Amino acid sequence: MRVQKLKLRVFGVLRNHSDANGMLELELESPVDVETCAELKDELIRHFERNGAGFDPGILRECALADEESVLSPGERLRTLQNLALLPPVCGG
Amino acid sequence: MNRIEIEVSEAPLDAGNLDVSSWIRPDCGACDLFFGTVRARNHGREVIAVSYDAYVPLARRELQRIAEEALTQAGTHGTVVIRHRTGKLGVGELSVLIAVVTPHRAEAFQACRYVIEELKKRAPIWKKEFYRDGETEWLKGHALCGGI
């Protein structure tokens, strides 16, 4: 799947870097092909390491990608780039 | 037949105004209740409020899965109610309510413990603490399975 512009819903500590609707928009320097969630996350880390993010890109290593149905495992094949969420470590209760 | 009720919302939880009688059922003789409340101190810092953020659609689904698992792993049937707050709460306010109704008490305690432990590890909910000195901090938690 070819990726360049990406819009992710974010939560928790990442909300400090989102717009008022909790969305984080970014544009990679050039289009890249990714197959799995882990590959997409690697691209995000590379992007923020190069461009700065206002936060430690290392935090992304602890984040999971998810949709409204479930948390996606690193090896899961990406079916769409729509309605993806980036979830930092959770702390409910 | 299992009955499961899940709510993740800004609606306040009032321990003095719960519909417990609607959860009781004739095939069950035990009702275990758990309340989580906002504590005034955490790691030596004075907390004045907590704000909960949640990915609500996924949180509802994950809590539904946890509730079903809780009854299965306890080898029983019954009712599970899980309510979790979002938004800003003051010290002493209820953040989470869990009710488990089963035929016998051992299974009710076991299932209730399962729900709160799994909720803390798996529910997409985040907590930000507000301190007396004016600082705030998102608490570190459990990485979900997608984390590397």
Side-chain angles (χ1 to χ4, degrees), chain A residues 9 11-13 15-16 38 41 61-64 66-74 83 85 87-93, chain B residues 52-55 57-58 61 65 84 95-96 119-121 123-127 138-148:
Chain A
R9 184 170 295 285
F11 297 90
V13 67
R15 274 206 195 259
N16 296 340
K41 218 166 73 168
R61 294 188 195 285
E62 295 190 309
C63 289
D67 57 27
E68 291 190 355
E69 299 289 330
S70 62
V71 176
L72 307 174
S73 63
N83 299 316
L87 311 184
V90 298
C91 191
Chain B
Y52 286 95
D53 186 17
Y55 188 13
L58 180 58
R61 286 185 172 84
R65 287 190 274 263
H84 201 298
S95 57
V96 59
L119 178 157
K120 282 180 166 287
K121 288 185 282 193
I125 297 171
W126 297 268
K127 188 188 311 189
W138 287 100
L139 298 190
K140 293 179 176 62
H142 298 268
L144 296 168
C145 72
I148 295 174

Coordinates of all heavy atoms in Angstrom, one line a residue, chain A residues 9 11-13 15-16 38 41 61-64 66-74 83 85 87-93, chain B residues 52-55 57-58 61 65 84 95-96 119-121 123-127 138-148:
Chain A
R9 N -5.9 9.2 14.2 CA -6.5 9.6 15.4 C -5.6 9.2 16.6 O -5.1 8.1 16.6 CB -7.9 8.9 15.6 CG -8.7 9.3 16.8 CD -10.1 8.8 16.8 NE -10.8 9.3 15.6 CZ -11.4 10.5 15.6 NH1 -11.2 11.3 16.6 NH2 -12.0 10.9 14.5
F11 N -4.4 9.6 21.0 CA -5.0 9.7 22.3 C -3.9 9.9 23.3 O -2.7 9.8 23.0 CB -5.8 8.4 22.7 CG -6.9 8.2 21.8 CD1 -6.8 7.5 20.6 CD2 -8.2 8.7 22.1 CE1 -7.9 7.3 19.7 CE2 -9.3 8.6 21.2 CZ -9.1 7.8 20.1
G12 N -4.3 10.2 24.6 CA -3.4 10.3 25.7 C -2.3 11.3 25.4 O -2.6 12.4 24.9
V13 N -1.0 10.9 25.7 CA 0.1 11.9 25.6 C 0.2 12.4 24.2 O 0.7 13.6 24.0 CB 1.4 11.2 26.1 CG1 1.8 10.1 25.2 CG2 2.5 12.2 26.3
R15 N -2.1 13.4 22.3 CA -3.1 14.5 22.1 C -2.4 15.9 22.2 O -2.9 16.9 21.6 CB -4.2 14.5 23.1 CG -5.3 13.5 22.6 CD -6.6 14.0 23.3 NE -7.6 13.0 23.2 CZ -8.6 13.0 22.3 NH1 -8.7 14.0 21.4 NH2 -9.6 12.1 22.4
N16 N -1.3 15.9 22.9 CA -0.5 17.2 23.0 C -0.1 17.7 21.6 O 0.3 18.8 21.5 CB 0.7 17.1 23.9 CG 0.3 16.7 25.3 OD1 -0.9 17.0 25.7 ND2 1.2 16.2 26.1
A38 N 3.6 -2.9 11.3 CA 5.0 -2.7 11.8 C 5.8 -1.8 10.8 O 6.5 -0.9 11.2 CB 5.7 -4.0 12.0
K41 N 4.5 1.8 11.1 CA 5.1 2.4 12.3 C 6.5 2.8 12.1 O 7.0 3.8 12.6 CB 4.9 1.5 13.5 CG 4.5 2.2 14.8 CD 4.0 1.3 15.8 CE 5.1 0.6 16.5 NZ 4.7 -0.1 17.7
R61 N 7.4 3.6 19.4 CA 7.7 2.1 19.5 C 6.8 1.4 20.5 O 6.5 0.2 20.4 CB 9.2 1.9 20.0 CG 10.2 2.4 19.0 CD 11.6 2.0 19.3 NE 12.5 2.8 18.5 CZ 12.8 2.6 17.2 NH1 12.2 1.6 16.6 NH2 13.6 3.3 16.6
E62 N 6.3 2.2 21.5 CA 5.4 1.6 22.4 C 3.9 1.7 22.0 O 3.0 1.3 22.8 CB 5.6 2.2 23.8 CG 7.0 1.9 24.4 CD 7.0 2.4 25.8 OE1 6.6 3.5 26.1 OE2 7.4 1.6 26.7
C63 N 3.6 2.4 20.9 CA 2.3 2.6 20.5 C 1.8 1.4 19.6 O 2.6 0.7 19.0 CB 2.2 3.9 19.7 SG 2.4 5.4 20.7
A64 N 0.5 1.3 19.6 CA -0.2 0.3 18.8 C -1.1 1.0 17.7 O -1.6 2.0 18.0 CB -1.0 -0.7 19.6
A66 N -4.6 0.8 15.6 CA -5.9 0.2 15.9 C -6.9 0.8 15.0 O -6.7 1.9 14.4 CB -6.3 0.4 17.4
D67 N -8.1 0.1 14.9 CA -9.2 0.7 14.3 C -10.3 0.6 15.3 O -10.1 0.2 16.5 CB -9.6 0.0 12.9 CG -9.9 -1.5 13.1 OD1 -10.2 -1.9 14.2 OD2 -9.7 -2.2 12.1
E68 N -11.6 0.9 15.0 CA -12.6 0.9 16.0 C -13.0 -0.5 16.4 O -13.7 -0.6 17.4 CB -13.9 1.6 15.4 CG -13.7 3.1 15.2 CD -15.0 3.8 14.9 OE1 -16.0 3.2 14.8 OE2 -14.9 5.1 14.8
E69 N -12.5 -1.5 15.7 CA -12.9 -2.9 16.1 C -11.9 -3.5 17.0 O -12.2 -4.3 17.9 CB -13.0 -3.7 14.8 CG -14.1 -3.3 13.9 CD -15.5 -3.5 14.4 OE1 -15.7 -4.5 15.2 OE2 -16.4 -2.7 14.1
S70 N -10.6 -3.3 16.7 CA -9.6 -4.0 17.5 C -8.2 -3.4 17.3 O -8.0 -2.5 16.5 CB -9.5 -5.5 16.9 OG -9.1 -5.5 15.6
V71 N -7.3 -3.8 18.2 CA -5.9 -3.4 18.2 C -5.3 -4.3 17.1 O -5.5 -5.5 17.0 CB -5.2 -3.6 19.5 CG1 -3.7 -3.3 19.4 CG2 -5.9 -2.7 20.6
L72 N -4.4 -3.7 16.2 CA -3.8 -4.4 15.1 C -2.5 -4.9 15.5 O -1.7 -4.2 16.1 CB -3.7 -3.5 13.9 CG -5.0 -2.8 13.5 CD1 -4.8 -1.8 12.3 CD2 -6.1 -3.8 13.1
S73 N -2.2 -6.2 15.2 CA -0.9 -6.7 15.6 C 0.2 -6.2 14.6 O -0.1 -5.9 13.5 CB -0.9 -8.2 15.7 OG -1.2 -8.7 14.4
P74 N 1.5 -6.2 15.1 CA 2.5 -5.7 14.2 C 2.6 -6.3 12.8 O 2.8 -5.7 11.8 CB 3.8 -5.9 15.0 CG 3.3 -6.0 16.4 CD 2.0 -6.6 16.4
N83 N -9.3 5.7 9.0 CA -9.8 5.5 10.4 C -8.8 4.7 11.2 O -9.2 3.8 12.0 CB -11.1 4.7 10.4 CG -12.2 5.5 9.7 OD1 -12.3 6.7 9.9 ND2 -13.0 4.9 8.8
A85 N -6.0 4.5 14.2 CA -5.7 5.2 15.4 C -4.3 4.8 15.9 O -3.9 3.6 15.7 CB -6.7 5.0 16.5
L87 N -2.3 4.3 19.4 CA -2.6 4.2 20.8 C -1.4 4.1 21.6 O -0.7 3.1 21.6 CB -3.5 3.0 21.0 CG -4.7 2.9 20.1 CD1 -5.6 1.7 20.6 CD2 -5.6 4.2 20.1
P88 N -1.1 5.1 22.5 CA 0.1 4.9 23.4 C -0.3 3.9 24.5 O -1.5 3.4 24.6 CB 0.2 6.3 24.1 CG -0.9 7.2 23.5 CD -1.7 6.4 22.6
P89 N 0.7 3.5 25.4 CA 0.3 2.6 26.4 C -0.9 3.0 27.3 O -1.0 4.2 27.5 CB 1.6 2.5 27.3 CG 2.7 2.8 26.3 CD 2.1 3.8 25.3
V90 N -1.7 2.1 27.6 CA -3.0 2.5 28.3 C -2.9 2.5 29.8 O -2.0 1.9 30.4 CB -4.1 1.5 27.8 CG1 -4.3 1.6 26.3 CG2 -3.8 0.1 28.3
C91 N -3.8 3.3 30.4 CA -3.8 3.5 31.8 C -5.2 3.8 32.4 O -5.4 4.8 33.1 CB -2.8 4.6 32.1 SG -2.4 4.8 33.8
G92 N -6.1 2.9 32.2 CA -7.4 3.1 32.7 C -7.6 2.6 34.1 O -6.7 2.1 34.7
G93 N -8.8 2.8 34.7 CA -9.1 2.3 36.0 C -9.0 3.4 37.0 O -8.7 4.5 36.8
Chain B
Y52 N -9.6 11.6 32.1 CA -9.6 10.3 31.4 C -9.9 10.6 29.9 O -10.9 11.2 29.6 CB -10.6 9.3 32.0 CG -10.2 8.7 33.3 CD1 -10.6 9.2 34.5 CD2 -9.3 7.6 33.3 CE1 -10.2 8.7 35.7 CE2 -8.9 7.0 34.5 CZ -9.4 7.6 35.7 OH -9.0 7.0 36.9
D53 N -9.0 10.0 29.1 CA -9.2 10.1 27.6 C -9.5 8.6 27.2 O -9.0 7.7 27.8 CB -8.0 10.6 27.0 CG -8.1 10.8 25.5 OD1 -9.2 10.9 25.0 OD2 -7.0 10.9 24.8
A54 N -10.4 8.4 26.2 CA -10.7 7.1 25.8 C -11.0 7.0 24.3 O -11.6 8.0 23.8 CB -11.9 6.5 26.6
Y55 N -10.6 6.0 23.7 CA -11.1 5.7 22.3 C -12.4 4.9 22.5 O -12.4 3.7 22.6 CB -10.0 4.9 21.6 CG -10.2 4.6 20.1 CD1 -11.1 5.3 19.4 CD2 -9.4 3.7 19.5 CE1 -11.3 5.1 18.0 CE2 -9.5 3.5 18.1 CZ -10.5 4.2 17.4 OH -10.6 4.0 16.0
P57 N -15.3 3.9 20.9 CA -15.8 2.7 20.3 C -15.0 1.4 20.5 O -15.6 0.3 20.8 CB -15.8 3.1 18.8 CG -15.6 4.5 18.7 CD -14.9 4.9 20.0
L58 N -13.7 1.6 20.5 CA -12.8 0.4 20.7 C -12.9 0.0 22.2 O -12.9 -1.2 22.5 CB -11.4 0.7 20.3 CG -10.4 -0.4 20.5 CD1 -10.8 -1.7 19.8 CD2 -9.0 0.0 20.1
R61 N -15.9 -2.1 22.8 CA -15.7 -3.5 22.3 C -14.8 -4.3 23.2 O -15.0 -5.5 23.5 CB -15.2 -3.4 20.9 CG -16.3 -3.0 19.9 CD -15.8 -3.1 18.5 NE -16.9 -2.9 17.6 CZ -17.3 -1.7 17.2 NH1 -16.8 -0.6 17.7 NH2 -18.4 -1.6 16.4
R65 N -15.5 -7.7 25.4 CA -14.7 -9.0 25.3 C -14.2 -9.4 26.7 O -14.2 -10.6 27.1 CB -13.5 -8.8 24.4 CG -13.9 -8.7 22.9 CD -12.7 -8.8 22.0 NE -12.1 -7.5 21.7 CZ -12.3 -6.7 20.7 NH1 -13.1 -7.1 19.7 NH2 -11.7 -5.6 20.5
H84 N -17.1 3.2 32.9 CA -15.8 3.9 33.0 C -16.1 5.3 32.6 O -16.6 5.6 31.6 CB -14.7 3.3 32.2 CG -13.3 3.6 32.7 ND1 -12.9 4.9 32.7 CD2 -12.4 2.8 33.2 CE1 -11.6 4.9 33.2 NE2 -11.3 3.7 33.5
S95 N -14.2 6.6 39.2 CA -13.7 6.6 37.8 C -14.2 5.3 37.1 O -14.4 5.3 35.9 CB -12.2 6.6 37.8 OG -11.6 5.6 38.6
V96 N -14.3 4.2 37.9 CA -14.8 3.0 37.3 C -15.7 2.2 38.2 O -15.4 2.2 39.5 CB -13.6 2.1 36.8 CG1 -12.7 1.8 38.0 CG2 -14.0 0.9 36.1
L119 N -8.9 -4.8 32.3 CA -9.2 -3.4 31.9 C -8.0 -2.5 32.0 O -7.7 -1.8 31.0 CB -10.3 -2.9 32.9 CG -10.8 -1.5 32.7 CD1 -12.2 -1.4 33.3 CD2 -10.0 -0.4 33.3
K120 N -7.2 -2.6 33.0 CA -6.0 -1.8 33.2 C -5.0 -2.1 32.1 O -4.2 -1.2 31.7 CB -5.4 -2.0 34.6 CG -6.2 -1.2 35.7 CD -5.6 -1.4 37.0 CE -6.1 -0.4 38.0 NZ -5.6 1.0 37.8
K121 N -4.9 -3.3 31.7 CA -3.9 -3.7 30.7 C -4.4 -3.5 29.2 O -3.6 -3.4 28.3 CB -3.5 -5.2 30.8 CG -2.7 -5.4 32.1 CD -2.2 -6.9 32.2 CE -3.3 -7.8 32.6 NZ -2.9 -9.1 33.0
A123 N -7.8 -1.9 28.0 CA -8.9 -1.0 27.6 C -8.2 0.3 27.1 O -7.3 0.8 27.8 CB -9.8 -0.6 28.7
P124 N -8.5 0.8 25.9 CA -7.9 2.0 25.4 C -8.4 3.3 26.1 O -9.2 4.0 25.6 CB -8.3 2.0 23.9 CG -9.5 1.2 23.8 CD -9.5 0.2 24.9
I125 N -7.8 3.4 27.3 CA -8.2 4.5 28.2 C -6.9 5.1 28.7 O -6.0 4.3 29.1 CB -9.1 4.1 29.3 CG1 -10.5 3.6 28.7 CG2 -9.4 5.2 30.3 CD1 -11.4 2.9 29.7
W126 N -6.8 6.4 28.9 CA -5.6 7.1 29.3 C -5.9 8.1 30.4 O -7.0 8.7 30.4 CB -4.9 7.8 28.2 CG -4.5 6.8 27.1 CD1 -3.3 6.2 26.9 CD2 -5.3 6.4 26.0 NE1 -3.3 5.4 25.8 CE2 -4.5 5.5 25.2 CE3 -6.6 6.6 25.6 CZ2 -5.0 4.8 24.1 CZ3 -7.1 6.0 24.4 CH2 -6.3 5.1 23.7
K127 N -4.9 8.2 31.3 CA -5.2 9.0 32.5 C -4.1 10.1 32.6 O -2.9 9.9 32.6 CB -5.0 8.1 33.8 CG -5.4 8.8 35.1 CD -5.1 7.9 36.3 CE -5.6 6.5 36.2 NZ -5.4 5.7 37.4
W138 N 0.7 12.8 31.8 CA 0.0 11.6 31.4 C 0.7 10.4 32.0 O 1.9 10.3 31.8 CB 0.0 11.5 29.8 CG -0.8 12.4 29.1 CD1 -0.5 13.6 28.6 CD2 -2.3 12.3 28.9 NE1 -1.6 14.2 28.0 CE2 -2.7 13.4 28.2 CE3 -3.2 11.3 29.2 CZ2 -4.0 13.6 27.8 CZ3 -4.5 11.5 28.9 CH2 -4.9 12.6 28.2
L139 N 0.0 9.5 32.6 CA 0.6 8.4 33.3 C 1.1 7.3 32.3 O 0.4 7.1 31.3 CB -0.3 7.8 34.4 CG -0.7 8.7 35.5 CD1 -1.5 7.9 36.6 CD2 0.4 9.5 36.1
K140 N 2.2 6.7 32.6 CA 2.7 5.6 31.8 C 1.9 4.4 32.1 O 1.5 4.2 33.3 CB 4.2 5.4 32.1 CG 5.1 6.6 31.7 CD 6.5 6.3 32.0 CE 7.4 7.5 31.5 NZ 7.0 8.8 32.1
G141 N 1.7 3.6 31.1 CA 0.8 2.4 31.3 C 1.3 1.2 30.6 O 2.5 1.0 30.5
H142 N 0.4 0.4 30.2 CA 0.7 -0.9 29.5 C 0.6 -0.7 28.0 O -0.4 -0.3 27.5 CB -0.3 -1.9 30.0 CG -0.3 -2.2 31.4 ND1 0.5 -3.2 32.0 CD2 -1.0 -1.6 32.5 CE1 0.3 -3.2 33.3 NE2 -0.6 -2.2 33.6
A143 N 1.7 -1.1 27.3 CA 1.7 -1.1 25.9 C 0.7 -2.2 25.4 O 0.7 -3.3 25.9 CB 3.1 -1.4 25.4
L144 N -0.1 -1.8 24.4 CA -1.0 -2.8 23.8 C -0.2 -3.8 22.9 O 1.0 -3.5 22.7 CB -2.1 -2.1 23.0 CG -3.0 -1.2 23.9 CD1 -3.9 -0.3 23.1 CD2 -3.8 -2.1 24.8
C145 N -0.8 -4.8 22.5 CA -0.1 -5.9 21.8 C 0.6 -5.4 20.5 O 1.5 -6.0 20.1 CB -1.0 -7.1 21.5 SG -2.2 -6.8 20.2
G146 N 0.1 -4.3 20.0 CA 0.7 -3.8 18.8 C 2.1 -3.1 19.0 O 2.8 -2.9 18.1
G147 N 2.4 -2.9 20.3 CA 3.7 -2.2 20.6 C 4.8 -3.2 20.4 O 4.7 -4.4 20.5
I148 N 6.0 -2.7 19.9 CA 7.1 -3.6 19.6 C 8.1 -3.5 20.8 O 8.4 -2.4 21.2 CB 7.8 -3.1 18.3 CG1 6.8 -3.3 17.2 CG2 9.0 -3.9 18.1 CD1 7.3 -2.8 15.9

